[in-house]
Amino acid sequence: MLDDFFTRAVLAGLGLALVAGPLGCFVVWRRMAYFGDSTAHAAILGVALALAFDVSIYAGTLAVAVAMACLVSALVARGQAMDTMLGVLSHSALAIGLVAISFVPSARSDLSAYLFGDILAVGRADLVLIWAGAALVLGLLILRWQRLVTSSLNEELAMAAGIDPRLERLMLSLCLAVVVALAIRVVGSLLISAMLIVPAAAARGWARTPERMAAGAALVAAGSVLAGLWSSLRLDTPAGPSIVTAAAVFFLISQGVRRA
């Protein structure tokens, strides 16, 4: 069954959706959209370094994404303005990554795959890494769920309950870095943030509890993967952008249902 490229693409997309939905809820609650952009755009630099030193794309992307996540967390902790600092780092990371990748001749022809993903080229080894990483992040979110939710919704209440908001913010940053590394082959660096934010935003309108919102976001993300891959196969459109387009359609539907 896994010899079928479309089956591998579906499994890879569902693995990403399983973790992107719940993690995206924290991105929405904490208003960390720019944070996701900064980490995702830095992934291009990780790709360039991985190709230059002949190491795994996932390893290079993860290393740079973790470094960016730690840098952003440190700057925010020192009192820097969140939106301005993240805006500067986001666009700077993308520009530096694109300049760096231009010095790697083997990567120039595949640049669009790293920017917009190439889920149809996912192999068996990619599937193992995607599902293992998704299971790791999802397990961490489940174990620390109450702490993460409390610190996300009210940091003062979290401190009163003996929870360190800085530690929880760092944990989320590291989880986000792992998901970025996993998603580089699925939707690309430019669309990773959309897969985190759009399903969570779609589920937010009708969910009454954080747990239901997380489950709803995962379902929307999974539905987006299936609908996007189906439309890509039928209409011969790029798979990564098709997945995000499907997520946007689900968001519009959720808004219409909510108003009705």
Side-chain angles (χ1 to χ4, degrees):
M1 183 180 73
L2 292 183
D3 289 335
D4 186 350
F5 76 95
F6 191 76
T7 301
R8 293 196 300 270
V10 169
L11 291 176
L14 292 178
L16 177 63
L18 184 67
V19 67
L23 185 59
C25 293
F26 290 104
V27 174
V28 170
W29 291 332
R30 286 179 171 268
R31 300 181 180 179
M32 294 172 61
Y34 257 138
F35 187 100
D37 280 337
S38 301
T39 309
H41 291 172
I44 291 295
L45 178 58
V47 169
L49 293 176
L51 293 174
F53 292 99
D54 194 24
V55 298
S56 168
I57 295 295
Y58 293 106
T61 303
L62 179 60
V64 174
V66 167
M68 176 61 75
C70 293
L71 173 62
V72 171
S73 295
L75 290 174
V76 171
R78 294 180 60 181
Q80 298 287 345
M82 171 86 69
D83 56 346
T84 302
M85 185 56 59
L86 291 181
V88 170
L89 290 177
S90 173
H91 300 299
S92 299
L94 179 60
I96 293 171
L98 291 174
V99 170
I101 210 169
S102 69
F103 290 100
V104 185
S106 61
R108 294 180 185 177
S109 59
D110 296 329
L111 183 58
S112 62
Y114 301 123
L115 292 175
F116 303 107
D118 191 10
I119 189 174
L120 298 179
V122 167
R124 290 171 178 262
D126 297 314
L127 275 180
V128 172
L129 287 172
I130 289 173
W131 276 92
L136 175 65
V137 173
L138 191 60
L140 185 60
L141 291 179
I142 292 173
L143 287 174
R144 305 187 67 87
W145 179 260
Q146 198 57 52
R147 288 174 171 268
L148 289 170
V149 170
T150 302
S151 62
S152 296
L153 300 181
N154 192 320
E155 290 195 355
E156 293 183 357
L157 178 62
M159 294 178 66
I163 300 172
D164 185 355
R166 293 174 299 178
L167 176 60
E168 305 309 318
R169 188 186 303 119
L170 179 60
M171 296 298 295
L172 281 177
S173 301
L174 295 178
C175 288
L176 187 60
V178 173
V179 171
V180 165
L182 297 177
I184 191 73
R185 289 294 300 274
V186 178
V187 291
S189 67
L190 295 184
L191 302 177
I192 294 172
S193 292
M195 278 302 292
L196 290 166
I197 297 170
V198 179
R204 188 177 193 176
W206 46 267
R208 293 292 179 265
T209 65
E211 291 77 13
R212 289 186 179 181
M213 180 174 168
L219 289 175
V220 171
S224 301
V225 168
L226 296 175
L229 287 175
W230 179 84
S231 62
S232 174
L233 188 65
R234 298 282 295 182
L235 304 176
D236 193 25
T237 55
S242 297
I243 292 172
V244 176
T245 300
V249 171
F250 281 123
F251 172 76
L252 292 176
I253 293 173
S254 72
Q255 295 300 299
V257 171
R258 181 182 179 184
R259 291 178 181 177

